[in-house]
Amino acid sequence: MKIKLLGKNLEELKQIVAEEGLPGFTAKQIAQWLYVKKVRSIDDMTNLSKAARAALSEKYEVGLVEYAGLQISSDGTKKYLFPVRCPHRRGLNAGSDGSIPEEELESSAVEAVMIPDDDRATLCVSSQAGCRMGCRFCMTGRQGFHGHMSASDIISQFIAVDESDRLTNAVFMGMGEPLDNYENVMRTIEILTADWGFAWSPKRITLSTIGVLPNLKRYLDECRCHLAVSLHDPFGPERLRMMPVQGAWPLKDVIDLIRQYDFTGQRRVSFEYTMFAGFNDTKAHADALVRMLRGLECRMNLIRFHKIPDFPYETSSDIVIENFKNRLNNQGLTTTVRASRGEDILAACGMLAGEHAAKEGK
């Protein structure tokens, strides 16, 4: 089994070219072929000598995962299906060096969503096959955990989609909890933001989490990208009914940690709040949110709940959502209602399940 070059950082590429007896500058050339020119094969790296390409091909491959299915929503949102092979035993991280034996990997599927909006094209990226956080209202959480995605598989989503050269933003808000796969997600962000990689500004990237406290602190210390926190209910016992993570890392502790960091500059923090009719959409909930977040420079995004099978709640009505938004705004908590995109192809928030979509136009 060959080792994937995709997902390697510059230092690792330097180590590879040194081991192969190639000039040191070859590492930057390879990085440019991988992350700027986005080639599919080592043979396409034409400014490397034939001997260098032959030597690399003995042990390495680019390793790009092409999409296997595509669905297009009536609103232009596109959902891509990617086949992945992840470690089937917990504790085995799928690194980008190909060190996990083939027998330890199992086939799965993940989805990425491209959301067009005027001159913006945002990619909603997956970081795990399934998820072990178990949120009751999320299709991904209901399917359980199937494995961590490697940095190679995560970065493939950025390269393989048809809009690769037009992407303006990315949100780690697809399948999985990004902070549960911290090392591979941070490796991906390094590639996206490094001058030898995609050279994106950190302002173009948002990571969404339900609040995995130990790795949340690492993220806030080590990364300048934006943060989005899945809040959904200000009252602990109610939140626990929907989100088991509340038992391990209570929301209060998450907010207390976030308050230790500065969000008055370029890095932003926002909170995601899915609206469930008769459950978390009352005046008492709105007022509790204001008290919880008072003094914190942040934004609240209200999300209509997208109905999934065997779940008892419906989304709040438009008038209830509007009144909830106005109550928050009137008390100084900047709040918007996020537009639902791609619901007709099960691409909206909480609806990703890695199901095999029909392949179109590829």
Side-chain angles (χ1 to χ4, degrees), residues 35-323:
Y35 304 125
V36 180
K37 298 182 179 179
K38 303 172 183 176
V39 297
R40 266 59 172 175
S41 169
I42 291 174
D43 286 337
D44 294 331
M45 301 180 182
T46 52
N47 63 350
L48 275 61
S49 69
K50 288 185 178 180
R53 282 177 273 164
L56 287 170
S57 296
E58 286 290 321
K59 292 165 54 179
Y60 300 95
E61 62 181 353
V62 169
L64 180 74
V65 178
E66 301 282 5
Y67 69 80
L70 170 64
Q71 289 180 298
I72 303 176
S73 168
S74 58
D75 64 23
T77 298
K78 298 172 74 172
K79 183 171 73 170
Y80 291 90
L81 180 84
F82 288 90
V84 295
R85 290 181 60 75
C86 298
H88 60 77
R89 289 193 293 121
R90 288 189 182 181
L92 285 175
N93 259 320
S96 63
D97 60 0
S99 60
I100 296 177
E102 180 72 16
E103 62 269 17
E104 295 288 1
L105 302 175
E106 68 177 21
S107 297
S108 190
V110 301
E111 292 166 338
V113 177
M114 193 288 300
I115 306 169
D117 187 12
D118 294 330
D119 59 346
R120 291 166 62 98
T122 300
L123 190 65
C124 185
V125 186
S126 291
S127 56
Q128 293 178 312
C131 183
R132 54 184 166 194
M133 298 298 113
C135 296
R136 292 183 58 213
F137 51 88
C138 176
M139 289 287 286
T140 307
R142 285 186 166 204
Q143 70 175 250
F145 178 68
H146 302 295
H148 295 306
M149 292 173 63
S150 67
S152 177
D153 287 342
I154 300 172
I155 208 75
S156 284
Q157 296 168 83
F158 289 87
I159 297 174
V161 298
D162 296 340
E163 299 76 17
S164 179
D165 292 332
R166 297 193 292 107
L167 295 176
T168 61
N169 298 84
V171 288
F172 285 82
M173 201 178 286
M175 297 175 67
E177 163 56 59
L179 294 186
D180 191 37
N181 188 15
Y182 186 82
E183 300 299 338
N184 288 318
V185 167
M186 290 302 294
R187 176 186 290 269
T188 302
I189 290 175
E190 178 189 9
I191 292 167
L192 291 173
T193 57
D195 57 3
W196 48 261
F198 283 55
W200 281 21
S201 165
K203 293 187 296 183
R204 297 170 64 177
I205 303 167
T206 299
L207 180 143
S208 178
T209 178
I210 60 175
V212 181
L213 267 179
N215 287 338
L216 176 57
K217 185 176 190 322
R218 292 180 65 189
Y219 176 77
L220 292 172
D221 287 338
E222 298 171 6
C223 188
R224 301 304 302 169
C225 296
H226 301 313
L227 174 69
V229 178
S230 296
L231 197 158
H232 306 310
D233 201 302
F235 299 123
E238 288 182 1
R239 189 171 189 258
L240 182 61
R241 287 169 55 187
M242 293 287 194
M243 306 172 67
V245 70
Q246 174 69 19
W249 298 299
L251 181 60
K252 180 184 181 303
D253 295 345
V254 173
I255 303 300
D256 287 347
L257 173 66
I258 291 172
R259 285 188 180 278
Q260 299 174 28
Y261 294 83
D262 180 18
F263 291 97
T264 59
Q266 293 188 336
R267 180 166 64 171
R268 300 192 305 267
V269 61
S270 59
F271 294 90
E272 312 298 313
Y273 197 90
T274 301
M275 302 287 291
F276 302 104
F279 182 79
N280 67 348
D281 60 356
T282 70
K283 293 178 180 178
H285 288 88
D287 293 344
L289 287 172
V290 171
R291 291 192 300 270
M292 174 177 285
L293 300 176
R294 182 173 284 122
L296 181 61
E297 188 72 26
C298 65
R299 172 182 295 273
M300 179 69 67
N301 294 316
L302 303 182
I303 303 169
R304 293 177 177 86
F305 171 60
H306 304 107
K307 187 67 176 174
I308 61 175
D310 302 319
F311 187 75
Y313 292 99
E314 303 283 342
T315 190
S316 304
S317 67
D318 287 348
I319 186 63
V320 168
I321 294 174
E322 187 68 17
N323 289 339

